[in-house]
Amino acid sequence: MRVLVVEDDKQLAAALRRGLEAEGYAVDTALDGREGAWLAGENSYDAIVLDVMLPHVTGDEICARRREQGDWTPILMLTARAGPDQEVRALDAGADDFLAKPFSLAVLLARLRALVRRGSGERPTVLVVGDLELDPAAHRVLRAGTSIDLTPRQFSMLEFLMRRSDEVVSKATILDHVWDFAFEGDPNIVEVYARQLRQRIDHPFGRASLETVRLVGYRVVDDR
């Protein structure tokens, strides 16, 4: 496994290299954001360990650029600033995991193993199907650049379907994931919300992206 470590603290970078190499990883290191961004763009890695606060280019910026360019290499972000705001920024930039300093090498290794097991499949921070875009972090939906207002439940249902675009999702599965397990209302509520979504995301734009597959379920497709 080949890992890139981007960390401006020379001692920590050296310690991480030694610890990772002792576990059998091949390790490249960079001491600033500019070099880290270049290495990440030029080479293929199984995982990237990326400090948030870096000279020249921040870790958040590097992470966001990799995702924008279609690189879904697992990224573990490191920061000395523990707290929810920093963690939210890192994860919303496209990071897969977050570790506050100081940390145990054993914990970092365990988290790296978990990330590598997930692989580098696409995990976009913004969901796109045709000209329909959904940003979970900003709670924003756009169609052809036009903002669409949705209720929280409408948003959740659309997000669930867009994460499975082109896949037919049953009514029961939608109920299980968009409503809670204790929901005892009419299961036809899914049909009601499907109609509402079409009125918001499809009809005003002359689209038919939310399809009903009779006796099976629903799916979101690119109908341009």
Side-chain angles (χ1 to χ4, degrees), residues 14-44:
L16 288 173
R17 174 189 281 276
R18 290 193 300 270
L20 289 165
E21 288 179 341
E23 293 293 315
Y25 290 92
V27 183
D28 293 338
T29 57
L31 297 176
D32 63 64
R34 186 177 298 147
E35 182 185 12
W38 183 82
L39 286 171
E42 291 295 314
N43 302 296
S44 177

Side-chain angles (χ1 to χ4, degrees), residues 28-77:
D28 293 338
T29 57
L31 297 176
D32 63 64
R34 186 177 298 147
E35 182 185 12
W38 183 82
L39 286 171
E42 291 295 314
N43 302 296
S44 177
Y45 294 99
D46 295 290
I48 298 174
V49 178
L50 183 60
D51 189 26
V52 171
M53 301 302 295
L54 293 165
H56 307 307
V57 184
T58 69
D60 289 345
E61 291 173 315
I62 294 173
C63 185
R65 288 181 192 174
R66 300 317 309 149
R67 299 316 188 214
E68 288 170 2
Q69 294 174 18
D71 179 358
W72 300 100
T73 301
I75 294 178
L76 174 61
M77 299 286 277

Side-chain angles (χ1 to χ4, degrees), residues 93-134:
D96 297 278
D97 202 356
F98 180 93
L99 195 56
K101 302 174 185 177
F103 53 82
S104 158
L105 178 62
V107 171
L108 181 139
L109 290 170
R111 294 197 177 193
L112 269 184
R113 288 193 294 270
L115 291 182
V116 171
R117 284 196 299 269
R118 296 182 200 172
S120 56
E122 186 172 350
R123 299 176 301 280
T125 54
V126 177
L127 306 176
V128 180
V129 180
D131 60 357
L132 183 64
E133 298 181 17
L134 183 147

Side-chain angles (χ1 to χ4, degrees), residues 36-202:
W38 183 82
L39 286 171
E42 291 295 314
N43 302 296
S44 177
Y45 294 99
D46 295 290
I48 298 174
V49 178
L50 183 60
D51 189 26
V52 171
M53 301 302 295
L54 293 165
H56 307 307
V57 184
T58 69
D60 289 345
E61 291 173 315
I62 294 173
C63 185
R65 288 181 192 174
R66 300 317 309 149
R67 299 316 188 214
E68 288 170 2
Q69 294 174 18
D71 179 358
W72 300 100
T73 301
I75 294 178
L76 174 61
M77 299 286 277
L78 306 177
T79 183
R81 294 182 180 179
D85 291 343
Q86 182 61 71
E87 184 171 354
V88 166
R89 282 195 296 272
L91 295 174
D92 282 346
D96 297 278
D97 202 356
F98 180 93
L99 195 56
K101 302 174 185 177
F103 53 82
S104 158
L105 178 62
V107 171
L108 181 139
L109 290 170
R111 294 197 177 193
L112 269 184
R113 288 193 294 270
L115 291 182
V116 171
R117 284 196 299 269
R118 296 182 200 172
S120 56
E122 186 172 350
R123 299 176 301 280
T125 54
V126 177
L127 306 176
V128 180
V129 180
D131 60 357
L132 183 64
E133 298 181 17
L134 183 147
D135 185 338
H139 204 84
R140 182 174 59 235
V141 177
L142 301 175
R143 169 133 258 169
T146 300
S147 180
I148 301 171
D149 292 327
L150 298 178
T151 67
R153 189 78 72 181
Q154 291 167 348
F155 188 93
S156 295
M157 182 169 165
L158 181 60
E159 178 182 356
F160 185 69
L161 291 170
M162 287 183 69
R163 289 189 183 279
R164 293 152 183 80
S165 61
D166 296 321
E167 174 186 338
V168 180
V169 184
S170 71
K171 183 190 298 185
T173 301
I174 294 171
L175 276 173
D176 285 345
H177 289 267
V178 179
W179 283 262
D180 62 55
F181 72 94
F183 177 74
E184 296 181 351
D186 187 344
N188 289 328
I189 190 69
V190 176
E191 297 174 10
V192 173
Y193 273 82
R195 286 196 298 272
Q196 292 175 357
L197 280 174
R198 288 192 184 99
Q199 291 168 1
R200 301 289 184 91
I201 68 170
D202 280 345

